Amino acid sequence: MVNVVTAYGWLLHWLVRAVGLTPYMVEIEPGTVIKFWGPCDAVSSGKCLSSKPVVVLLHGFCGDGIINWQCQVAALTRDYAVYVPDLLFFGGSVTDKAERSPEFQAECLAAGLGKLGVEKCVLVGFSYGGFVALKMAEMYVEMVEGAVVSGAVVAITENVVLRAVEGIGYSSCSEMLLPVSVGELKTLLSVACYRNLSLPNRFYADFLQAMYSNRKERAELLEALVISYKEIKIPKFHQRIHLLWGEDDKIFKLEFAQKMKEKLGNNATYEGIKSAGHLVHLERPWVYNKSLKQFLSSVFPLPGDKN
């Protein structure tokens, strides 16, 4: 019997090809490969062929890049060169290195984008992808011209982890984000969504099978994400950072976004989206896409824009 989530993934791949994207397997170094979806004419002889501004979409911890950003890709490809990578140990991206930190993810992404000829970009990061986006913005100031972040904070500590999972029945991020049964996946999605989903158990079982490979490595990614409180240093971002949040996010609640804006200072802006939870870009895609496009047009003014 065909896995319905795998079949849906094939359909999504056909659709993103229809709007001009194609997969690239980019070797960062021997043993480390990142899969990118990018423009069909993305690169020739190490130079980016597209004249459009580059937007890079970084996915969260459940699923791969295309599954996470299925509601955004087609909305952006007319005006932007869109790249959708699978982060290491998701989708088609792997490494034989022992490193699991967000810094390593950022290094590999920057190297992969460089090999695809990308010199400058805006990052859009959701949840785990938001952590990586913020780290990449900190590390690669010349490449990253701005970032839109949803459901992620600038630095995560054990205290933040405990606050994020308290009250929703979990003892750790791994327990929450790596479900092993249909019941656990249902509970996770009920926490992540503003409205309860009503889907057959077959869907949840197939999602677990299709999207939860590399469990050991993903648990290590989560462990590497948590740093000790005394090691925290809030970076001074030179780029604009836009916090685009679901106002009913139960995991990283609204107060996290508001406090983060205060810590980041004048270069940070905040916008809340009503009737949306942690999965804000999937629950309210029309509203999210409109806000995202407004930010992108302020960084990359398009022909005909008044600003």
Side-chain angles (χ1 to χ4, degrees), residues 182 185-186 189 197-208:
V182 166
L185 180 56
K186 283 184 174 181
L189 291 177
L197 298 177
S198 180
L199 296 168
N201 284 349
R202 164 80 185 277
F203 170 84
Y204 296 104
D206 285 358
F207 193 92
L208 282 171

Side-chain angles (χ1 to χ4, degrees), residues 160-177 183-184 186-193 248-253 256 278:
V160 169
V161 170
L162 290 173
R163 290 188 62 196
V165 302
E166 74 178 359
I168 49 179
Y170 296 101
S171 60
S172 68
C173 276
S174 290
E175 182 187 0
M176 178 172 68
L177 294 174
E184 289 181 2
K186 283 184 174 181
T187 299
L188 171 59
L189 291 177
S190 72
V191 169
C193 297
D248 293 282
D249 192 330
K250 302 182 188 77
I251 298 174
F252 286 108
K253 297 179 181 178
F256 286 106
H278 193 64

Side-chain angles (χ1 to χ4, degrees), residues 97-156:
K97 305 297 183 293
E99 180 62 63
R100 299 289 184 263
S101 68
E103 290 87 350
F104 184 62
Q105 294 272 20
E107 289 169 6
C108 292
L109 279 175
L113 288 167
K115 291 191 175 191
L116 290 172
V118 173
E119 296 179 353
K120 293 186 179 295
C121 63
V122 166
L123 303 175
V124 182
F126 158 68
S127 197
Y128 181 69
F131 290 105
V132 177
L134 289 166
K135 184 56 64 177
M136 191 170 164
E138 178 187 356
M139 295 169 63
Y140 297 95
V141 177
E142 296 301 318
M143 173 180 276
V144 180
E145 296 192 291
V148 177
V149 174
S150 303
V153 293
V154 71
I156 189 165

